[in-house]
Amino acid sequence: MSVIIGFDFGTHSIGVAVGQTITGSAQPLAALRAKDGQPEWSAVEKIFHEWQPQRLVVGLPLNMDGTEQPLTDLARKFANRLHGRFGLPVDLQDERLTTVAAREELFASGGYKQLSKGKVDSAAAQLILQDYLSSAES
C-alpha cells in the first residue's frame, strides 16, 4: 500500500488530502495557509511526518480549453519545490472543475456554512487525488 498526499494549490490557501492506493480513496486534511503561494513549510513537514507519503500529487489549474493560465506556472513551481525539499516523486493532475464540484458537494452536505475557503480547498484536493487514484487504476 502506498500513501499519497494531494494538494490543491492556491496563492492564499493550499488544500490538502491524503489517499491510499490500496483503497483508491482519499480524505481531506486541514488546508494550509499560504503567502504568495508559499506554505508554512514546517506544517507541510508535519503532515509528511504523520502520514509518511510515498508520492505527491499537485492539481494543475488549466483553462477549460486545456490551455495554461498564470496559476498553472505557480502550481508547477510549487510541485518543484515539494520535490526539491522532500525528494518525493510529484505528479501533476488536471484539476479542471474540481473546485466547482467541491463547492457543490459541500453545499449539498451542509449548506453555506460548509463553504469556508479551507474546506473547499481541501475538498478540491480530495477530488484531485481521487481522480489521480482512479486514473492510476485503469
Side-chain angles (χ1 to χ4, degrees):
M1 168 183 89
S2 71
V3 174
I4 302 173
I5 302 284
F7 296 94
D8 177 37
F9 175 79
T11 55
H12 301 295
S13 175
I14 298 171
V16 186
V18 61
Q20 282 93 15
T21 53
I22 199 159
T23 61
S25 64
Q27 67 188 46
L29 299 175
L32 300 168
R33 283 207 187 118
K35 191 175 167 95
D36 297 325
Q38 292 282 338
E40 189 62 52
W41 289 106
S42 60
V44 176
E45 221 167 279
K46 210 166 158 182
I47 292 167
F48 289 2
H49 184 73
E50 181 180 346
W51 292 98
Q52 301 289 307
Q54 285 79 49
R55 179 171 293 280
L56 308 174
V57 174
V58 175
L60 192 63
L62 298 168
N63 292 316
M64 289 312 294
D65 64 2
T67 58
E68 297 198 356
Q69 54 177 291
L71 205 54
T72 309
D73 197 39
L74 294 175
R76 273 203 180 91
K77 283 182 178 153
F78 174 68
N80 289 336
R81 283 191 186 106
L82 282 169
H83 178 70
R85 277 178 181 264
F86 302 103
L88 292 165
V90 181
D91 291 318
L92 297 169
Q93 176 73 24
D94 183 344
E95 67 163 49
R96 281 176 278 185
L97 295 180
T98 53
T99 301
V100 173
R103 281 178 182 283
E104 286 172 1
E105 281 183 24
L106 287 169
F107 183 78
S109 74
Y112 284 109
K113 65 181 177 287
Q114 290 294 315
L115 296 181
S116 71
K117 180 86 176 109
K119 275 190 177 174
V120 170
D121 291 340
S122 285
Q126 178 185 9
L127 292 173
I128 290 164
L129 191 47
Q130 207 78 62
D131 285 351
Y132 176 84
L133 289 165
S134 297
S135 64
E137 286 171 12
S138 48

